[in-house]
Amino acid sequence: MQARAAQDLKARMTDALVEAGLTYAGAVAHHTPRRLVLSVQGLLDQSPTLREERKGPRVDAPEKAVEGFLRGAGIDRSQLQERDDKKGRVYFAVIEHPGRPAAEIIAETLENVVRNFPWPKSMRWGAGSLKWVRPLHSILCILTADSGEAQVVPLDIDGIKAGDTTYGHRFMAPDGFAVTSYDDYTAKMRRARVMLDADERAGHIWQEAQNIAFSQGLEVVEDKGLLAEVAGLVEWPVTLMGEIDEEFLDLPPEVLQTSMKEHQKFFSVRNVQNGDSAGGIVRFITVANIETPDHGATILAGNQKVLSARLADAKFFWENDLRIVRDKGLTGMAEGLSDVTFHRKLGSQADRVARITALAREIAPMVGAKPDLAAEAAQICKADLQSEMVGEFPELQGVMGRYYAQAAGHDDGVPEACEMHYKPLGPGDTVPTEPVSVAVALADKIDTLTGFWAIDEKPTGSKDPYALRRAALGVIRLVLANGLRVELASTLVRPYHQNIRAALERHGAIPAEELNLPELSFDKVGLVERYQESKEGGTEDVPAVDDLLAFFHDRLKVHLRDEGIRHDVIDACLAMDGNDDLTLLVKRAEALAEFLKTDDGENLLQGFKRANNILTQAEEKDGVEYSFGADVKFAEVEEERALFDALKAADGAIKPAMEAEDFAAAMAAMAALRPAVDAFFEAVQVNAENPVVRRNRLNLLGQIRGICLAVADLTRVEG
């Protein structure tokens, strides 16, 4: 909120000043917990005088028309000028807007900005009408001339008068002091124990924290979000390191870190004396806003006392959860999930876990995991949602699942899957690579997507309450990062979608008349077999599946654009068969993108487009398709025969390359066509007078089109 406010103050003030005619050389804004600061340099002394001309009615116009023009222009008749115009003699009003002093404009502008400031939340206090994020105590507003003389800008907002006096640190320098310029202000502020620049405060905190930790062979756990937050809480940061009571050091490091961050805004410090950067949390760093005679000893004592109380709660949760795991196992911990609604149309969390378990078992062979292990992990992956620790710290879901799974004796990748199945949570998040984790993560996300598509709860515009875009991107990144060869629509999404719809029908969530699906169940046959059964039984495809696949493709476009691949290149590959095999699709798109960056690729694209345009026009005119029957015996010139040879060679190289999914080799073979295609168009007139020759040449162009379209749909590529 502070950083946004500083930028809003800067933008609104400078925009308004420029609009009023006051240009400037530069501006800088700062923020602290107690003040917003704006300095504008190189501001004009006053706005320039503006001269405006307005054309009025004809001289012989009715009197009322002239009077209306005078009122609108704000002048009297003596100020009118008569001039010749193409319509005769016409009145003109020449209006001068005299310049205004900078102080007057600043006062007017600043009051307007303050009264209409876009705080996310604001409050009103006292008898005035002013709303501000907190009670506003004082306004320092001065205008400094080149000579160094400072002028107080006359400004009064709800009884708060602007002056040249301000205050430093609330406790270490509470007395007011006057300033004459921005440089004077910053220098005196530092002496008054205030660091104005937020980046400087953050840098100071981080450097001091690292120095203190390093001196004891420890390491501060980096947390940029917490650093920015703490830098916004202090004006004069004093970094202190405290101890954690030994009785809490056996808590999982994630618990210690989360509790200290969320409750106390402490940085975690871990042990790296043995070269292990992933060591346990053993200390904390806190940032005070004051220097004390005892060098922070009292502050640390108070913080450690409060921290011990917080960690005592965490230790209770941890030990109680472990007791439940020992007594009942994770399946026992998860019993309460049947009472937790996932969605009113999709059942409880327990219902969802059952679906994910069945799907993970069937995905497992596709990702190299053992089906029994994938099912075991999926069955307990949501159990920690019922733990007291996750109830207190929801951000630890998954992490605590790993600890509880280990405590329950699970192994072979099952505990890791409990933690990793939520991932990736965003574009920069870690992607699971262990087979069991991949199987459960895919099952979790596919169940979410197909389920909400089945009940027609899709993202609309910027609204995505169920994070379905994130889930789709997660599936894409899981497939691509692990090089999975999965036909997404036919192998996973379509049959699973049908299964969910059938289950919903049986439970009455969707009216039966909306469905035409067989009875399907998880425990009888596999997804692929169910899909084949539904096809053989005459079941029509569910239209929503195509819509869901298009949703995946949209997310893939965003992902690949971030990777630097053009949208038209992606479209050219999406138009090809097998576009639900995302790994194959991306491999093709990357090869095409590289191909089009070369001179051969760019020129061949132009040759293809020329051939395609000629063909399209001829086929529309003749009502036939020119895609077969070209014969070299009808060739009349050497360039024509050379193109036949080049096409034959390219076809012989491209077909095996495509079968081997070697798109780079296919593109290279296609690039070899360029010289022959260029020479053909330079030497040959396609629409010859001889109809046999014309037809043969059009069919030859059809071969160019067919060979190129076998690699990618180049009609969709721009250029």
Side-chain angles (χ1 to χ4, degrees):
M1 187 186 295
Q2 293 174 14
R4 175 66 183 271
Q7 292 305 313
D8 284 339
L9 177 62
K10 177 181 174 181
R12 289 179 173 237
M13 277 298 297
T14 54
D15 288 350
L17 291 175
V18 170
E19 186 177 347
L22 289 182
T23 58
Y24 64 98
V28 62
H30 296 299
H31 58 88
T32 80
R34 300 190 67 213
R35 66 198 83 228
L36 283 177
V37 181
L38 174 65
S39 170
V40 182
Q41 299 91 31
L43 198 67
L44 292 178
D45 292 336
Q46 66 175 29
S47 61
T49 298
L50 300 178
R51 188 172 182 272
E52 177 188 3
E53 289 190 358
R54 293 188 191 179
K55 182 180 177 182
R58 286 164 52 96
V59 172
D60 57 355
E63 188 63 25
K64 287 188 176 181
V66 176
E67 290 176 356
F69 176 65
L70 291 172
R71 284 195 302 272
I75 60 174
D76 58 37
R77 187 179 289 271
S78 65
Q79 295 173 276
L80 288 177
Q81 295 181 6
E82 293 184 19
R83 298 181 189 173
D84 289 327
D85 190 70
K86 59 184 179 181
K87 295 183 179 180
R89 298 286 287 176
V90 174
Y91 284 124
F92 273 83
V94 179
I95 308 167
E96 283 197 355
H97 300 282
R100 299 168 60 199
E104 181 181 325
I105 296 174
I106 292 170
E108 180 182 291
T109 302
L110 183 57
E111 179 171 4
N112 183 58
V113 167
V114 169
R115 289 190 180 279
N116 297 282
F117 205 76
W119 290 110
K121 293 183 178 180
S122 58
M123 61 186 294
R124 193 176 67 191
W125 66 96
S129 60
L130 177 64
K131 289 184 178 181
W132 199 247
V133 67
R134 288 289 183 270
L136 188 59
H137 292 289
S138 66
I139 300 173
L140 182 153
C141 191
I142 59 173
L143 189 59
T144 305
D146 292 339
S147 62
E149 182 181 353
Q151 170 192 356
V152 174
V153 174
L155 175 65
D156 185 331
I157 304 178
D158 273 17
I160 305 172
K161 294 184 177 181
D164 60 359
T165 302
T166 189
Y167 303 87
H169 191 281
R170 187 173 184 179
F171 301 110
M172 291 190 288
D175 297 331
F177 53 88
V179 299
T180 58
S181 67
Y182 175 65
D183 291 339
D184 184 43
Y185 174 78
T186 55
K188 289 180 177 178
M189 274 294 171
R190 182 167 287 276
R191 289 198 294 270
R193 297 296 192 272
V194 175
M195 285 187 192
L196 286 174
D197 188 85
D199 291 337
E200 181 188 2
R201 295 197 301 275
H204 177 82
I205 292 168
W206 183 243
Q207 188 60 52
E208 287 295 304
Q210 286 183 307
N211 291 343
I212 296 172
F214 182 77
S215 67
Q216 298 191 32
L218 306 174
E219 178 183 73
V220 185
V221 178
E222 185 175 11
D223 190 328
K224 293 181 179 179
L226 179 60
L227 180 60
E229 185 176 5
V230 172
L233 294 173
V234 295
E235 290 195 317
W236 191 254
V238 177
T239 307
L240 307 168
M241 185 163 72
E243 296 185 355
I244 301 171
D245 286 351
E246 191 170 342
E247 63 177 302
F248 304 122
L249 294 180
D250 60 346
L251 285 170
E254 295 89 349
V255 172
L256 289 170
Q257 185 176 350
T258 303
S259 179
M260 292 192 296
K261 173 183 176 178
E262 296 300 320
H263 290 151
Q264 304 300 122
K265 309 304 177 189
F266 291 169
F267 294 92
S268 296
V269 181
R270 60 189 168 204
N271 192 344
V272 290
Q273 286 182 335
N274 298 322
D276 181 10
S277 62
I281 305 298
V282 294
R283 298 282 191 278
F284 68 86
I285 293 284
T286 186
V287 182
N289 190 37
I290 190 172
E291 296 173 350
T292 61
D294 62 359
H295 305 290
T298 303
I299 293 173
L300 280 176
N303 279 322
Q304 287 172 187
K305 184 177 181 180
V306 174
L307 178 60
S308 293
R310 293 289 190 182
L311 294 183
D313 291 341
K315 188 175 180 66
F316 171 79
F317 298 145
W318 168 245
E319 292 176 346
N320 197 46
D321 289 339
L322 288 179
R323 180 182 57 77
I324 293 173
V325 170
R326 283 195 303 269
D327 294 346
K328 299 182 178 180
L330 279 180
T331 53
M333 176 178 277
E335 288 176 355
L337 291 176
S338 58
D339 298 323
V340 179
T341 300
F342 173 63
H343 188 281
R344 64 184 182 86
K345 289 186 177 181
L346 294 173
S348 67
Q349 283 284 9
D351 295 330
R352 183 162 180 255
V353 167
R355 295 196 302 268
I356 294 172
T357 301
L359 183 55
R361 178 182 291 278
E362 301 193 40
I363 289 176
M366 305 177 195
V367 300
K370 294 180 180 179
D372 288 345
L373 285 177
E376 178 186 338
Q379 193 171 19
I380 62 172
C381 68
K382 306 291 184 185
D384 65 340
L385 296 179
Q386 289 296 103
S387 69
E388 293 189 36
M389 187 68 79
V390 173
E392 177 71 12
F393 301 113
E395 57 269 43
L396 289 179
Q397 61 185 351
V399 173
M400 299 314 301
R402 170 168 58 85
Y403 282 109
Y404 297 144
Q406 290 170 340
H410 296 278
D411 54 13
D412 293 331
V414 171
E416 290 74 16
C418 291
E419 176 182 8
M420 299 298 290
H421 81 279
Y422 289 104
K423 295 179 176 292
L425 291 173
D429 197 19
T430 305
V431 179
T433 55
E434 293 299 318
V436 176
S437 297
V438 173
V440 181
L442 280 172
D444 179 53
K445 293 165 180 58
I446 290 172
D447 176 80
T448 298
L449 289 160
T450 52
F452 282 106
W453 245 255
I455 61 174
D456 200 26
E457 289 279 3
K458 308 168 188 176
T460 56
S462 61
K463 296 180 179 179
D464 187 10
Y466 303 111
L468 301 183
R469 292 187 179 96
R470 186 176 71 187
L473 181 59
V475 171
I476 290 167
R477 293 189 64 203
L478 281 162
V479 169
L480 298 183
N482 291 283
L484 302 180
R485 299 303 306 275
V486 179
E487 293 179 353
L488 197 61
S490 59
T491 306
L492 293 177
V493 174
R494 181 176 286 110
Y496 192 66
H497 179 273
Q498 290 177 339
N499 188 81
I500 287 183
R501 295 273 292 188
L504 291 173
E505 180 190 18
R506 291 195 299 275
H507 287 88
I510 294 180
E513 59 269 19
E514 293 184 17
L515 299 166
N516 182 24
L517 297 171
E519 281 281 327
L520 305 173
S521 64
F522 283 109
D523 54 355
K524 290 183 180 179
V525 289
L527 287 173
V528 178
E529 288 76 7
R530 283 202 292 274
Y531 176 50
Q532 294 299 328
E533 286 181 358
S534 67
K535 287 178 66 177
E536 292 165 5
T539 301
E540 294 183 2
D541 190 14
V542 183
V545 175
D546 294 331
D547 183 47
L548 179 52
L549 184 59
F551 183 71
F552 274 112
H553 287 163
D554 286 341
R555 293 297 92 203
L556 180 64
K557 286 181 182 181
V558 174
H559 176 68
L560 292 181
R561 280 202 298 268
D562 292 341
E563 298 292 319
I565 299 179
R566 290 164 23 190
H567 70 90
D568 55 331
V569 171
I570 302 169
D571 288 337
C573 298
L574 284 172
M576 306 301 290
D577 290 338
N579 62 11
D580 65 338
D581 184 338
L582 301 184
T583 299
L584 183 69
L585 175 61
V586 171
K587 189 177 178 182
R588 189 194 300 259
E590 290 173 343
L592 180 57
E594 289 302 313
F595 171 67
L596 292 175
K597 291 177 182 177
T598 66
D599 290 340
D600 284 344
E602 186 62 33
N603 287 328
L604 181 61
L605 176 64
Q606 299 307 317
F608 165 81
K609 287 185 174 292
R610 184 174 179 182
N612 188 57
N613 290 338
I614 294 171
L615 275 171
T616 302
Q617 294 172 7
E619 288 172 343
E620 289 179 357
K621 177 182 177 182
D622 302 341
V624 296
E625 180 181 342
Y626 293 106
S627 58
F628 54 88
D631 195 326
V632 69
K633 70 182 180 181
F634 295 113
E636 294 185 334
V637 296
E638 184 59 33
E639 290 82 359
E640 203 170 352
R641 285 185 284 272
L643 182 56
F644 272 102
D645 292 340
L647 288 170
K648 183 178 180 181
D651 190 44
I654 289 174
K655 283 184 178 178
M658 293 297 292
E659 290 174 0
E661 298 176 0
D662 188 349
F663 296 112
M667 301 290 175
M670 195 164 66
L673 286 172
R674 177 205 166 178
V677 171
D678 290 349
F680 175 82
F681 280 121
E682 288 180 8
V684 174
Q685 180 180 346
V686 176
N687 289 308
E689 293 183 5
N690 185 327
V692 175
V693 174
R694 174 179 178 271
R695 184 168 57 252
N696 194 60
R697 288 175 176 172
L698 287 170
N699 280 317
L700 186 59
L701 296 187
Q703 286 188 14
I704 297 175
R705 179 173 65 181
I707 286 175
C708 292
L709 290 180
V711 179
D713 188 353
L714 297 185
T715 62
R716 298 174 183 267
V717 178
E718 298 174 358

